[in-house]
Amino acid sequence: IMSIFEGNSIKISPSAVLNPKVRIISTDDSFVDIGEACIIEELSIITDSVIGANCVIEVGGTILESIIGESCVIGIKCSIKNSKIGSGSFISPTVQLDGVEIPDHSSVYLYQGNWACKPIDMSHLKPQLDKYYERLTDPTSPQYLPQTHSDVVTIN
C-alpha cells in the first residue's frame, strides 16, 4: 500500500494527490517536479520528469525523462519516455510514446493500428476533473486520500 520515493531531488506540490503504490524516482543528475493539484493514480511510476499543474496520471502510467504540460490527462497504462507533452493534451490509454513532442491541446489515440494525433479542446473536462480532485481531497468523501505522506518510504 506504500508509495516509494527514491532520490534526493523530488518536489511534490502540497496540493498534489498521490494514490497508494506510486513510485517517484530521481536519479543522480536529475529531478522530479509534480505540480499543483495533480492526481497521480496507483501503480504509476514517474522518473526524472516534470509534471505540470492540474494533470492526471491514470493507473499504471509510466513517465520517464519527460515533460508533461499543465492540465493533461495521461491514460491508463501509458508509457511516455524522453518526450514532451503539450499543455491541455489527452493521451489515450495504453499509448506508448518515445522521443516525441506533442503540441498543446492534442489528443493521441490508436487509429487503424497506428498512433494518431489531432487537436482537441479539453475545457469541457475541467469541471469533471475538478470534482474528481475534490472527492480525493475532501475528508468527508468515501474516496478521500489523506496526503500526510506517512505511507511513503523514502530511499536516498
Side-chain angles (χ1 to χ4, degrees):
I1 239 179
M2 290 191 276
S3 293
I4 298 176
F5 293 178
E6 295 181 39
N8 293 320
S9 299
I10 298 173
K11 178 184 170 195
I12 300 173
S13 168
S15 64
V17 175
L18 277 70
N19 284 285
K21 301 179 185 175
V22 169
R23 190 167 186 176
I24 310 291
I25 305 164
S26 76
T27 59
D28 295 335
D29 297 332
S30 197
F31 62 94
V32 172
D33 188 344
I34 298 176
E36 293 180 18
C38 285
I39 300 169
I40 312 297
E41 294 185 349
E42 57 272 359
L43 304 176
S44 294
I45 301 170
I46 300 173
T47 304
D48 300 337
S49 297
V50 175
I51 312 294
N54 303 302
C55 287
V56 177
I57 310 297
E58 293 184 339
V59 176
T62 300
I63 314 294
L64 173 63
E65 297 176 356
S66 295
I67 298 171
I68 310 296
E70 294 184 356
S71 302
C72 291
V73 176
I74 308 299
I76 295 169
K77 295 185 179 178
C78 282
S79 174
I80 299 175
K81 299 185 335 186
N82 305 307
S83 297
K84 182 177 179 186
I85 308 300
S87 294
S89 293
F90 175 76
I91 311 300
S92 294
T94 71
V95 167
Q96 297 182 21
L97 301 175
D98 189 352
V100 299
E101 186 165 338
I102 303 297
D104 289 352
H105 308 289
S106 294
S107 174
V108 177
Y109 57 98
L110 186 62
Y111 178 73
Q112 296 182 347
N114 296 304
W115 298 118
C117 180
K118 71 174 186 177
I120 187 174
D121 177 9
M122 288 203 338
S123 60
H124 67 285
L125 289 179
K126 179 131 176 53
Q128 293 170 320
L129 293 175
D130 288 346
K131 285 180 186 175
Y132 181 41
Y133 180 80
E134 237 175 71
R135 286 194 312 267
L136 293 177
T137 57
D138 177 2
T140 63
S141 167
Q143 292 179 306
Y144 174 62
L145 286 171
Q147 294 300 302
T148 62
H149 299 297
S150 60
D151 68 336
V152 171
V153 174
T154 302
I155 303 170
N156 292 325

